[in-house]
């Protein structure tokens, strides 16, 4: 073979090899496209997620994240279970219910609310002294809200006949307005909605917090499908670490967190959002979070959460196990 032909062929092979290496490098650096569904509307309580986005924490983890509003924990868990979103925020009680009753396979991989924020708000002039006074009364609440889904567990601890309570099912965007307009005696909302309820309701309000009546459980967490964990554990780890980094920074820098929220969700009101995030920060920074880092889930408390939920709903707890519903592995 003539030397010139050998040189041309060698050059061509070298060029092809270089192109292959360049393509592989490009493929490795292409960001993972991820949909992250909130449990609810993108209000003040969601500020930490938007700060993680705005600060570039997800970008540093080579993830391109689209944050979408939710329609209640029950709906978010179903969306992740159906693989219509890679990650979501959902109440762990709702996850337990759906894992046992519907066979969904999603798992908590980073705690958001280590203290349960579920509550029923009502007017002080209503004269309610104990949760039992809610019997025979009407509570406005979205159908897929964790507050409604977990009400039987609250009722069991508070000595309420859950069947004696009437429900006015309302869209998440109008549940508080329904209560404020006098079309319901109470409204079920997270504690983080307290500032919004005060702003919309002319009468002075107060609340029953589920956690004060035996419902001492883990609440909202970042969830992911078990198939995603198996197929791409590295993605799960990168996402969770970036998300928890955002929460931790936001607790320490609340003004920046609210600013990030308003940048991406300008329909929110600054003062109201700041108040909502302040409440959220208190629910995030529990003793476990302070000792082990934001996102950590104590196995003992998760077992207690599993036991409380399965007992309140008379579920067959042998169909699952607390160890299956969460993992701290992706915080590392």
């Amino acid at each position: 073979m003539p030397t010139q032909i050998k040189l041309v062929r060698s050059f061509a092979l070298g060029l092809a090899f270089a192109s292959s290496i360049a393509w592989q490098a490009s493929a490795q650096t292409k960001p993972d496209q991820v949909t992250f569904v909130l449990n609810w509307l993108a209000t003040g309580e969601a500020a930490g997620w938007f700060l993680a986005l705005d600060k570039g924490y997800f970008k540093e983890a080579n993830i391109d994240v689209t944050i979408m509003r939710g329609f209640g924990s029950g709906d978010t868990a179903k969306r992740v279970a159906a693989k219509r979103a890679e990650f979501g925020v959902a109440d762990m009680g709702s996850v337990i219910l759906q894992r046992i009753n519907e066979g969904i396979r999603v798992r908590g991989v980073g705690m958001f609310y280590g203290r349960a924020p579920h509550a029923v708000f009502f007017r002080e002039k209503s004269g309610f002294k104990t949760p039992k006074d809610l019997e025979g009364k009407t509570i406005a609440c979205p159908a897929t809200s964790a507050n409604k889904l977990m009400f039987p567990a609250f009722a069991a601890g508070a000595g309420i006949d859950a069947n004696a309570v009437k429900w006015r099912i309302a869209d998440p965007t109008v549940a508080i307005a329904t209560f404020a307009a006098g079309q319901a005696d109470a409204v079920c909302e997270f504690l983080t909605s307290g500032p919004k309820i005060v702003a919309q309701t002319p009468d002075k309000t107060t609340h029953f917090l589920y956690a004060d009546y035996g419902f001492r459980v883990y609440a909202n967490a970042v969830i992911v499908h078990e198939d995603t964990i198996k197929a791409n554990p590295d993605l799960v780890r990168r996402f969770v670490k970036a998300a928890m980094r955002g929460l931790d920074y936001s607790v320490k820098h609340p003004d920046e967190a609210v600013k990030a929220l308003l940048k991406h969700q300008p329909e929110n009101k600054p003062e109201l959002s700041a108040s909502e995030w302040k409440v959220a920060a208190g629910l995030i920074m529990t003793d476990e979070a302070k000792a082990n880092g934001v996102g950590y889930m104590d196995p003992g408390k998760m077992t207690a959460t599993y036991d409380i939920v399965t007992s309140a709903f008379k579920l067959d707890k042998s169909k699952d196990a607390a160890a299956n519903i969460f993992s701290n592995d992706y915080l590392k």
Side-chain angles (χ1 to χ4, degrees):
M1 180 181 296
T3 302
Q4 187 176 2
I5 294 176
K6 287 183 179 180
L7 289 173
V8 170
R9 181 170 292 177
S10 297
F11 178 76
L13 289 172
L15 186 62
F17 179 75
S19 296
S20 175
I21 294 297
W23 181 86
Q24 290 179 35
S26 175
Q28 290 172 354
T29 58
K30 185 179 180 180
D32 291 292
Q33 302 294 314
V34 161
T35 297
F36 180 39
V37 183
L38 304 178
N39 57 298
W40 215 241
L41 298 169
T43 57
E45 70 167 349
W49 312 122
F50 285 97
L51 180 133
L53 182 65
D54 206 46
K55 277 281 188 181
Y57 295 163
F58 291 122
K59 186 176 181 180
E60 287 178 27
N62 202 32
I63 305 174
D64 184 2
V65 177
T66 298
I67 301 177
M68 299 181 66
R69 65 153 292 183
F71 294 86
S73 286
D75 184 73
T76 295
K78 288 179 179 179
R79 290 171 75 176
V80 174
K83 300 182 181 179
R84 289 187 283 119
E86 286 75 18
F87 296 92
V89 181
D91 175 69
M92 287 305 297
S94 301
V95 168
I96 292 167
L97 268 177
Q98 292 181 350
R99 280 182 65 97
I100 294 178
N101 287 338
E102 301 176 32
I104 71 169
R105 285 295 171 257
V106 301
R107 182 177 299 180
V109 286
M111 186 49 54
F112 180 30
Y113 286 158
R115 181 168 182 251
H118 313 65
V120 174
F121 289 82
F122 55 91
R123 297 171 181 80
E124 278 195 358
K125 68 179 184 181
S126 298
F128 301 162
K129 301 299 181 184
T130 71
K132 195 165 181 62
D133 293 326
L134 293 171
E135 294 180 0
K137 301 301 188 294
T138 301
I139 304 176
C141 202
T144 55
S145 164
N147 290 281
K148 186 175 186 303
L149 294 175
M150 290 298 108
F151 189 84
F154 163 58
I160 306 171
D161 178 0
N163 295 320
V165 172
K166 303 172 184 176
W167 295 97
R168 185 180 180 93
I169 302 303
D171 185 83
T173 58
V174 299
I176 295 175
T178 299
F179 164 68
Q183 297 173 16
D185 301 298
V187 61
C188 67
E189 288 284 340
F190 274 5
L191 202 59
T192 47
S193 294
K196 188 175 295 181
I197 293 171
V198 169
Q200 293 188 34
T201 309
D203 302 308
K204 191 172 183 179
T205 62
T206 186
H207 62 269
F208 295 130
L209 186 67
Y210 291 18
D212 291 337
Y213 298 89
F215 192 67
R216 299 181 183 89
V217 302
Y218 276 127
N220 288 20
V222 172
I223 61 170
V224 63
H225 200 291
E226 291 178 353
D227 287 351
T228 304
I229 291 175
K230 292 176 182 177
N232 200 343
D234 179 62
L235 170 63
V236 178
R237 181 171 288 103
R238 284 183 284 122
F239 181 89
V240 172
K241 290 178 72 173
M244 296 304 136
R245 182 183 175 191
L247 290 184
D248 184 64
Y249 186 92
S250 295
V251 169
K252 298 168 183 174
H253 303 85
D255 292 344
E256 284 190 53
V258 173
K259 185 178 179 181
L261 170 73
L262 296 173
K263 175 183 174 181
H264 294 276
Q265 303 291 326
E267 70 277 8
N268 288 288
K269 297 179 180 179
E271 290 186 9
L272 185 60
S273 296
S275 297
E276 290 169 339
W277 177 250
K278 183 177 180 180
V279 177
L283 299 168
I284 295 167
M285 199 53 69
T286 60
D287 290 341
E288 297 103 296
K290 291 175 183 176
N292 301 285
V294 172
Y296 177 80
M297 295 165 281
D298 177 74
K301 187 173 178 179
M302 192 60 79
T303 298
T305 299
Y306 186 79
D307 290 343
I308 288 172
V309 174
T310 53
S311 175
F313 289 91
K314 297 180 174 57
L315 303 175
D316 183 355
K317 63 187 301 181
S318 68
K319 287 186 175 181
D320 209 344
N324 296 335
I325 65 176
F326 81 105
S327 175
N328 287 313
D329 292 347
Y330 305 95
L331 296 166
K332 305 170 185 175

